[in-house]
Amino acid sequence: MTALELAPYRDAAPLEVRDLACRRGERLILEGVEFSVPPGRALILRAPNGAGKTTLLRAVARLTPPVRGTISLSPERMTWFGHADGVKAQLTVTENLDFWARVHGSDTIAPALAAFRLEDLADRPAAYLSAGQRRRLGLARLLVARRPVWLLDEPTVSLDSATVATFARVVGAHLAAGGLALIATHIPLGLDEEDVLDVTPFRARENAERAHDPFLDAGFAPMAGARDGTAQDGETRP
Amino acid sequence: MMALLGRDLALALRSGGGFGLSLAFFLIVVVFVPFGVGPDTEVLARIAPGVLWIAALLSCLLSLDRIFQLDWEDGSLDALVMAPLPLEGVVAMKALAHWLTTGLPLTVIAPLLGVLLDLPGPAAPWVFLSLLVGTPALSLLGAFGAALTVGIRRGGLLLSLLVMPLYIPTLIFGALTASRAGEGLDFLTPFALLGGVTLLAAALIPFAAAAALRINLR
Amino acid sequence: MSIWEYANPVRFMRLSDRVLPWLAALSAIVMLVALVWGFFFTPDDYRQGSTVKIIFIHVPAAMIAINAWVMMLVASLIWLVRRHHVSALAAKAAAPVGAVMTMIALVTGAVWGEPMWGTWWAWDPRLTSFLILFLFYLGYIALWAAIDNPDTAADLTSVLAIVGSVFAVLSRYAALIWNQGLHQGASLSMDRAEHVADVFYYPLVTAIVGFILLFVTLVVLRTRTEIRARRLRALLARESRE
């Protein structure tokens, strides 16, 4: 394998997150999230399922507007890659990538094809790709978007170990070019430049949840079945 | 923007459903009408403009749920929101792609199917023109309904229920234009109003649909 | 103290708990007075006979049908701008009431129309507009019912209410152009020459006040139910966290 090199990103800046509170649906999930990722580093988010890794990533991407807090970089400098890979089965590999390249105003998709070993499959309709090839095609979108911040939600799902290695190499090149990445994953990528953040301690505490959701207010009259309040009798009248 | 339009057109043409299906449905509805009301050419000629309009409108409904649903399911919509395109533009392009693959073919074929219903000669060009001006509003309003229901599993029926009341002004003015032209009455007033409804939809709906999409992506 | 204080669910529950019994009693009394007065103490119309008395249900129901939608629109806008939950839930609570009022207006209209026009239904612009309004209510209610997350549902139905209002008004004018009708002129208007005779006027106004009170009572009651449902949901979600 030859070393992969990407053109350096212009005006690299750290991603600073301060006092971030985020929700999923109407519920407050995380609060007081603080971290900082300098250019050239990756931050791995670790936590059990349902603890809020995806919630945090979507908040940083502003897909779900954060309840509170500051994020130093605007979403225009970020690319999102989630559970679903955004690959269209009816289009060929080239057409799939070409679309994202044109949307992002990039002129070439060749480096992205090469980085994910997709050159030989370039003219094949995506419907005929294996699960792993499809996933690689989805990930190749990260390279044509040419944005310095990658937000990756379980990117290694359904990848075999060789492909995980390919992917780790691409992320490494991205970091070397001055990019940074926020990755939710269970599988270690074995990057040299990674830090780990455990999301569990940021889980919203009960009083914060109460303050966020007015329907958790303690001031409500007792619900049906309670016999202690006089308000209860009045409530069943017309 | 053009990339998005090109992609959506390619997807519509290559996947078996969208394009041919709504045309076939249109044909079937039009063929069914004489079975229902009888072969009396005088009756058919009178109702032909309205029947063509209703059939076109129903055919338009068929493919609406595809406008955003597939992109939502495979994660493309998340990526599109992050992309350097205004979401309102994305909505407009998707509505345009929908119109090019359903509204426009329906418009072209409608005067031909009019022969089956004994459509009066003077009405034929106005069936074509009224559909040409009116169907873009159907696609736009449909995109709005699709944006509202994108997060709902099997939202197709709900989508129709939401969208059809919004179609009423377009249907009334469109069918009125065509039938009045057939009877030799003034048809320019409803025709102008039909265009007005389409322009209003074009101005208002991209913003409303983009807002609905953002809400659904949260 | 600002009125927005009552947008807090707890405060709304406390206040409405005190007000609701009085409101319910008052609307029952006013309705009773208006209907007895209207049905038994007004003369028969010289042309329409006693069928005219359906006016005391038909006209107020029709007015509520339209104004309930306007109220939903305003409540939706308040929710979108100020994020007050009570506002969103009040809009949700008003929708079925508005739909039923529309239905009552349509049915009483048909009952009245049969002896007067000789038909249960005519595609008259005003009848048509009410039918269209009913369709809009159905769509709005269905969208609320289909979405699981209550905040998302509130947002989406609000957007629908705004767009729907624009197209409902358009439909009204489209129906006017589409078919000139046989409906009589407005029952009430600022122009005294046009509206109904005085003997019908005062009981009619009383009936309208009664219907307004009934509407407010029902909406407050249903809003309380919606708030309780939301509270239940929030409590269950919190309990199932561990």
Side-chain angles (χ1 to χ4, degrees):
Chain A
M1 277 195 201
T2 52
L4 181 64
E5 243 183 84
L6 298 177
Y9 295 101
R10 276 170 293 143
D11 35 278
L15 172 65
E16 313 247 9
V17 169
R18 294 277 163 267
D19 189 33
L20 189 71
C22 21
R23 60 189 173 150
R24 176 170 61 217
E26 75 267 33
R27 290 193 53 207
L28 192 68
I29 300 292
L30 299 169
E31 60 163 332
V33 181
E34 307 242 350
F35 60 80
S36 152
V37 191
R41 303 289 297 183
L43 186 66
I44 310 287
L45 304 177
R46 285 270 164 74
N49 286 334
K53 298 190 294 287
T54 303
T55 305
L56 176 56
L57 282 174
R58 288 188 82 85
V60 172
R62 270 46 146 234
L63 286 169
T64 313
V67 176
R68 195 174 52 243
T70 56
I71 302 161
S72 64
L73 297 178
S74 84
E76 276 98 63
R77 311 185 62 169
M78 305 175 181
T79 334
W80 166 266
F81 186 83
H83 297 273
D85 47 29
V87 169
K88 292 290 177 193
Q90 297 95 331
L91 302 181
T92 66
V93 169
T94 308
E95 284 170 333
N96 263 301
L97 267 189
D98 221 28
F99 166 67
W100 291 113
R102 287 180 62 191
V103 164
H104 286 274
S106 324
D107 36 16
T108 172
I109 60 164
L113 284 175
F116 283 97
R117 299 183 280 120
L118 291 164
E119 295 117 315
D120 297 343
L121 304 169
D123 293 326
R124 185 176 296 194
Y128 301 103
L129 297 181
S130 70
Q133 289 166 338
R134 213 186 134 97
R135 197 84 187 151
R136 264 155 46 204
L137 171 56
L139 287 164
R141 171 166 62 81
L142 293 169
L143 287 178
V144 298
R146 291 284 305 154
R147 287 178 164 184
V149 180
W150 288 4
L151 305 171
L152 311 174
D153 190 16
E154 304 287 359
T156 47
V157 168
S158 84
L159 293 186
D160 57 30
S161 53
T163 317
V164 172
T166 308
F167 176 58
R169 202 162 62 95
V170 173
V171 175
H174 167 69
L175 300 180
L180 62 92
L182 210 53
I183 310 172
T185 182
H186 294 293
I187 304 165
L189 288 176
L191 296 169
D192 300 329
E193 307 87 351
E194 70 178 33
D195 305 299
V196 174
L197 178 76
D198 187 1
V199 176
T200 329
F202 300 119
R203 204 178 75 168
R205 282 177 300 277
E206 200 171 321
N207 53 1
E209 242 190 302
R210 223 181 256 280
H212 172 69
D213 188 347
F215 293 98
L216 288 173
D217 198 300
F220 274 98
M223 301 284 276
R227 294 249 166 246
D228 53 350
T230 46
Q232 200 58 32
D233 303 330
E235 282 179 357
T236 46
R237 259 182 259 148
Chain B
M1 292 290 211
M2 292 318 286
L4 183 64
L5 183 64
R7 183 191 74 144
D8 273 24
L9 289 178
L11 286 174
L13 295 178
R14 281 184 209 176
S15 54
F19 189 56
L21 206 64
S22 50
L23 278 182
F25 184 80
F26 187 46
L27 175 67
I28 287 174
V29 173
V30 170
V31 167
F32 270 29
V33 170
F35 294 160
V37 302
D40 181 353
T41 48
E42 219 168 278
V43 175
L44 288 178
R46 272 199 59 197
I47 62 172
V51 167
L52 289 170
W53 253 96
I54 292 173
L57 190 148
L58 293 177
S59 316
C60 230
L61 281 178
L62 281 186
S63 47
L64 286 182
D65 55 344
R66 290 169 162 254
I67 297 182
F68 297 114
Q69 192 74 39
L70 299 175
D71 280 338
W72 157 273
E73 279 165 8
D74 70 12
S76 308
L77 207 53
D78 283 332
L80 273 176
V81 173
M82 302 281 299
L85 298 177
L87 195 53
E88 291 77 9
V90 171
V91 170
M93 279 303 133
K94 286 195 154 278
L96 179 60
H98 179 263
W99 181 72
L100 287 174
T101 52
T102 53
L104 188 59
L106 291 173
T107 303
V108 171
I109 205 174
L112 300 176
L113 292 186
V115 174
L116 294 175
L117 299 173
D118 214 36
L119 181 72
W126 289 99
V127 165
F128 175 78
L129 283 174
S130 64
L131 282 171
L132 189 67
V133 170
T135 44
L138 302 185
S139 290
L140 282 161
L141 292 168
F144 172 61
L148 284 177
T149 55
V150 73
I152 303 168
R153 243 176 260 273
R154 287 194 289 276
L157 197 59
L158 176 66
L159 173 56
S160 303
L161 180 63
L162 293 181
V163 163
M164 281 166 96
L166 301 176
Y167 279 181
I168 291 170
T170 300
L171 174 62
I172 288 181
F173 292 137
L176 206 57
T177 304
S179 60
R180 281 197 177 178
E183 292 160 15
L185 300 171
D186 163 51
F187 54 83
L188 285 177
T189 310
F191 188 62
L193 289 167
L194 177 69
V197 173
T198 300
L199 290 177
L200 178 77
L204 175 71
I205 292 303
F207 296 95
L213 278 181
R214 288 201 185 92
I215 292 162
N216 266 318
L217 282 172
R218 282 202 312 242
Chain C
M1 191 167 75
S2 110
I3 187 174
W4 299 115
E5 296 268 318
Y6 293 101
N8 174 291
V10 175
R11 281 184 155 278
F12 176 84
M13 287 303 267
R14 277 193 203 142
L15 178 76
S16 60
D17 184 45
R18 263 180 282 143
V19 172
L20 196 57
W22 298 101
L23 205 55
L26 189 63
S27 55
I29 292 167
V30 176
M31 287 284 280
L32 200 68
V33 167
L35 293 182
V36 170
W37 184 3
F39 287 163
F40 302 109
F41 298 95
T42 56
D44 287 357
D45 186 79
Y46 74 98
R47 268 185 304 131
Q48 307 196 12
S50 57
T51 56
V52 73
K53 292 179 180 180
I54 209 164
I55 197 175
F56 301 113
I57 296 177
H58 179 71
V59 170
M63 288 180 79
I64 298 291
I66 296 171
N67 288 303
W69 183 274
V70 176
M71 176 244 146
M72 280 157 53
L73 175 64
V74 173
S76 300
L77 288 171
I78 292 173
W79 159 253
L80 285 182
V81 175
R82 302 199 55 146
R83 313 300 290 179
H84 290 311
H85 288 89
V86 174
S87 183
L89 294 178
K92 182 184 184 185
V97 183
V100 169
M101 288 293 178
T102 315
M103 206 65 234
I104 291 175
L106 284 170
V107 170
T108 53
V111 171
W112 195 2
E114 208 281 330
M116 286 304 102
W117 304 336
T119 173
W120 295 101
W121 182 262
W123 287 97
D124 159 272
R126 253 204 270 178
L127 270 71
T128 312
S129 304
F130 269 84
L131 198 57
I132 294 170
L133 181 64
F134 187 64
L135 297 179
F136 276 99
Y137 273 120
L138 287 187
Y140 180 89
I141 295 168
L143 188 62
W144 261 110
I147 300 166
D148 187 45
N149 181 301
D151 281 1
T152 307
D155 280 334
L156 292 176
T157 51
S158 298
V159 176
L160 178 67
I162 295 169
V163 174
S165 300
V166 173
F167 279 81
V169 171
L170 269 182
S171 305
R172 164 113 186 77
Y173 287 101
L176 266 178
I177 288 173
W178 172 66
N179 194 359
Q180 313 298 334
L182 24 89
H183 218 111
Q184 66 190 65
S187 302
L188 295 178
S189 81
M190 291 299 154
D191 181 7
R192 298 278 296 186
E194 212 189 314
H195 73 63
V196 296
D198 276 355
V199 271
F200 296 117
Y201 181 78
Y202 295 107
L204 182 55
V205 168
T206 317
I208 289 169
V209 172
F211 266 79
I212 291 171
L213 285 168
L214 176 69
F215 174 73
V216 173
T217 307
L218 289 175
V219 169
V220 169
L221 183 68
R222 290 182 49 85
T223 306
R224 285 170 62 80
T225 313
E226 294 294 342
I227 290 174
R228 287 220 181 83
R230 273 299 297 274
R231 169 141 170 92
L232 200 57
R233 190 187 150 94
L235 289 174
L236 283 173
R238 197 183 57 187
E239 295 214 344
S240 65
R241 206 168 73 150
E242 231 50 38

